Every structure is written in C-alpha cells, then in structure tokens.
Amino acid sequence: MEFVDLKAQHRHIQTRVDARMRTVLEHQRFILGPEVEELEGRLAARVRARHCVTCASGTDALLLGLLALEIGRGASGSPDEVITTPFTFFATGETITLAGARPVFVDVEPVGYNIDPSKIEAAITPRTKAILPVSLYGQPADMDAINEIAERHGLAVIEDAAQSFGALYRGGHSGNLSTIGCTSFFPSKPLGCYGDGGACFTNDDALAGAMLELRNHGQEGRYRHTRIGINGRLDTLQAAVLLAKLEVFDEELTGRAEIANRYTALLQNAVHTPRVLADRTSVWAQYTIEVEDRTAVESTLKGGGIPTAVHYPVPLHLQPVYTGLAKEMGWARGGFPGAERAAERVLSLPMHPYLTPAQIESVAEAVKGAVRGPVGAGAGESSR
Ligand SMILES: Cc1ncc(COP(=O)(O)O)c(C=O)c1O
C-alpha cells in the first residue's frame, strides 16, 4: 500500500496529461508558456480571486507574498514580526526568516490544530506587520476571526493554504480568504503537479503586479529590474499537468471526503479521529489521528505493511535553527503546549482518492490492533 498512490492517479488521468504535455512539447514555450496563463485564469476563477500568480513552489509563494507586502527588515534595520503557528511545515517559518522578518509563534487550537485567534492579540507589538495562519491538513483556519484582528491593528494576512486548496470556509474559498493566499502543488498535495509548483492569490492589483515581477527577477519589463526578486516561475509543463488534474479535482475531493468519513466511522471508538468544524470543509490533505504511544503504533503498522507519516514531529519553536531566536524570544519546551502535545501524538494514515474500500478497512483494522488495549475515557473523543 502507498501513503499517497500517485501511480494510481496517473493511470486515471494519463490520456489527459499526455495530451496536455504533448502540446507543450510541440510549442516548446517552457517558460511562462500559454498553459501558465490558462492555469492562472482557471485557478483564480475557482477561488473567485481577481488574481492568481503561479510560482515554482509553495515556499516561493509564501516568500513572494511576504516580499510583495515589503515585510522583512524594517526601516530601522530591525526585523518586522509576523505572527504564525509553530505547528506547521518548516517553510512557513523559514520564509518569514528568509525575508528578513521574525516569526512570532502563537499556539494552536485542539480541533484542527490551526492558530488560536484568541491568543493572537497578546502577541502583537509595534513591529508586527502580518498574521500568517496555516490551514493545516486541508481545513481552513478561523479566517474571519483572524481578519478581524488584523483589520483592527492594520496588519496584512497571508493564508498558508499549501494543504487546503479546494477547501471552503463560510462560503469562501481557501486561498482567497485574506490579503494574500499561498498554495503548493507539491506532488502529494490534493492538487499536485509532477514536480514543484505553487500559486499566490489576491484581490489587490498592486500586490498581484508586485508578485508577477518578483517571481521573475523583479523585472518590470525585459531586462529592466526594479526589485530584487527570485527565479520563481512555474514551469509550463507543470501548468499543463495541473490543467489536466484540475479536470478530475472535484471528483477527487469527493473521494477524499468519502474516505475520511469511512476512516472516522471505523476508528472513532478506538482512537482520537480528526474533526472538521461545521462552517468549513477539509480537502483532507492528511487524515491524521492522535495516539498515545505513537512509536509503537507506527512500528506495528509498518510491520503490517501500512505506511504512516508524522506531520510534524518537532514544532518550529523547538527547531535547532531557531535555538538563538528561542533564547531571545523566551521560547522553551512547554511554551506552546497545544503544538507540543500534537507533535507528540499525531499520526497520518494513507490518504488519496484511489484507496479502495478493502484498503481502508485493512488500515482501520491494523490501527485498532495497534493501539494498545481498549482506550479509556479519552477514547472516541472525536468531538474534541
Ligand atoms: C503548510 C505548508 N506550507 C508550505 C509548504 C511549502 O510548499 P512547497 O513544498 O511546495 O514548497 C508546504 C508543503 O509541504 C506546507 O505543507
């Protein structure tokens, strides 16, 4: 069994992908070819944003968003601050630091593991420029609450929607819920390409113009550089793959939701299963349970041929590279208990739209067998 079965997906979409790629091979416009613009139009329409700027990865998308907002070192030379979650993939904090700014962590909520809006305000200082929530595992963060705080304090909001493209929040689309939204097309993401890729969304014409230039060496026109940018363009071939995959994306999202529901039905009395809040949907980038003795469960499942993954074992405030910053900021173990507890307990199960009912059952049976004995009072608390 595969954790994410990209080969099964490719078999399903091969004809579409072949046709799209053949067109690119014929026109040979590998850099910013017509498929890039076509894709940007389709993605923007899907999330109802005025602009989509594709780029080379989700990491570049975050960096482009921060650079377009001119977040980095402030006029005094001291770093701007960006409030974010410590329970995320490293790129979220990394890009803030790369831009020259400083991540300021705020703990997560127990349901959904996204940043807790009720704790954000206490972290705002005169140096704060933006809030950067992550819509983890495919479920949007509480964007209305975050936007309301941001508006009151004159801050920008960048949604890290790397895992949540396709999800809905109160009728809006993840990626288009804030000043800028950033997503990733890493191959195993719900909408993935055949290599690295990403995109930014915004309704602000000036920010879109800035990101278009920044992704192409800060060029305002050919060989006229008005900003320090990056080589962050999406390859035309990747755009072609994404155009083919978009055709089956909705059907795949339905499949993901059905699989998640089936897992939950089978597992809810045995382990802590994930919960999606009533005002939003998840695209189930991960199906992540919580277990007490994770190492034992992981190894039992591995022995039974069931691959699992941990997203993510070390919260950002405890990453070695931030040791110096942690001293300065007073971050220590125990500082963000929600993130630390999750990092010790979470375990992601195989999740992709081509899992068969038999595979789902065998994963669930193996998980039930692997969790030691009957789970006590905490069992089945899927509503937590
Ligand atoms: C939450 C989050 N942010 C950012 C990224 C970075 O995306 P990419 O791998 O496309 O650079 C990822 C990808 O794994 C992610 O999951």
Side-chain angles (χ1 to χ4, degrees):
M1 192 184 308
E2 303 282 335
F3 186 72
V4 177
D5 194 345
L6 293 175
K7 286 184 190 151
Q9 185 194 44
H10 185 67
R11 281 194 293 276
H12 185 59
I13 57 170
Q14 187 162 7
T15 319
R16 290 181 170 95
V17 172
D18 285 354
R20 280 284 187 180
M21 288 183 96
R22 207 175 319 117
T23 306
V24 178
L25 296 182
E26 277 157 17
H27 68 52
Q28 297 271 313
R29 291 168 63 191
F30 297 119
I31 305 295
L32 298 180
E35 284 76 8
V36 173
E37 208 173 314
E38 181 182 348
L39 178 69
E40 288 174 341
R42 290 202 186 197
L43 294 175
R46 187 179 171 101
V47 302
R48 306 214 182 100
R50 269 173 74 81
H51 304 281
C52 168
V53 177
T54 56
C55 58
S57 65
T59 305
D60 277 0
L62 291 169
L63 189 59
L64 290 172
L66 290 159
L67 294 177
L69 288 161
E70 297 180 6
I71 291 170
R73 290 211 164 264
S76 63
S78 52
D80 293 332
E81 292 179 354
V82 178
I83 293 174
T84 193
T85 160
F87 190 54
T88 178
F89 178 62
F90 186 62
T92 314
E94 182 183 37
T95 46
I96 295 169
T97 305
L98 261 178
R102 168 181 287 181
V104 172
F105 298 120
V106 164
D107 209 0
V108 296
E109 295 182 305
V111 174
Y113 313 103
N114 288 324
I115 194 167
D116 184 344
S118 71
K119 301 200 167 111
I120 289 177
E121 224 150 357
I124 294 174
T125 75
R127 299 235 284 271
T128 309
K129 286 282 154 48
I131 308 172
L132 204 165
V134 178
S135 295
L136 203 71
Y137 301 156
Q139 175 169 200
D142 192 356
M143 298 302 291
D144 278 358
I146 294 165
N147 286 329
E148 190 271 318
I149 296 165
E151 208 166 299
R152 221 159 355 98
H153 293 269
L155 308 174
V157 178
I158 302 177
E159 183 198 7
D160 182 342
Q163 303 184 8
S164 60
F165 183 77
L168 298 174
Y169 170 86
R170 300 185 180 174
H173 295 259
S174 185
N176 185 23
L177 299 169
S178 56
T179 323
I180 293 175
C182 302
T183 196
S184 162
F185 304 126
F186 186 81
S188 59
K189 292 286 191 267
L191 181 64
C193 55
Y194 286 180
D196 280 308
C200 302
F201 300 93
T202 186
N203 294 309
D204 183 306
D205 297 348
L207 288 175
M211 291 191 290
L212 278 170
E213 291 178 16
L214 286 162
R215 78 166 177 193
N216 197 14
H217 299 290
Q219 286 182 90
E220 182 192 68
R222 197 163 165 81
Y223 301 134
R224 188 179 151 76
H225 304 264
T226 50
R227 306 166 190 267
I228 298 298
I230 57 174
N231 177 354
R233 302 166 302 235
L234 180 74
D235 288 344
T236 311
L237 276 168
Q238 300 302 347
V241 171
L242 288 163
L243 283 165
K245 281 209 187 180
L246 260 183
E247 290 180 34
V248 297
F249 187 51
D250 283 315
E251 148 199 329
E252 290 190 339
L253 290 185
T254 305
R256 283 178 176 278
E258 284 169 2
I259 289 161
N261 289 341
R262 188 75 191 121
Y263 267 145
T264 299
L266 294 168
L267 288 170
Q268 64 186 349
N269 294 320
V271 294
H272 177 109
T273 49
R275 187 176 146 214
V276 177
L277 294 161
D279 57 358
R280 58 204 87 170
T281 65
S282 175
V283 289
W284 298 103
Q286 309 298 343
Y287 185 91
T288 305
I289 59 171
E290 279 186 38
V291 290
E292 289 291 339
D293 190 354
R294 185 173 64 204
T295 311
V297 174
E298 271 179 302
S299 81
T300 307
L301 291 174
K302 192 172 174 201
I306 312 267
T308 58
V310 175
H311 304 100
Y312 297 91
V314 182
L316 267 49
H317 66 288
L318 301 177
Q319 288 292 347
V321 71
Y322 284 137
T323 308
L325 187 58
K327 273 202 194 112
E328 206 180 314
M329 301 290 284
W331 301 329
R333 196 169 287 281
F336 302 98
E340 290 167 34
R341 180 185 153 88
E344 279 168 16
R345 294 167 56 96
V346 291
L347 186 66
S348 303
L349 304 181
M351 171 49 87
H352 61 83
Y354 302 91
L355 276 172
T356 63
Q359 286 176 317
I360 300 163
E361 306 247 335
S362 76
V363 172
E365 277 314 304
V367 170
K368 284 195 251 182
V371 292
R372 226 179 276 138
V375 186
E381 47 173 350
S382 57
S383 58
R384 217 190 98 231

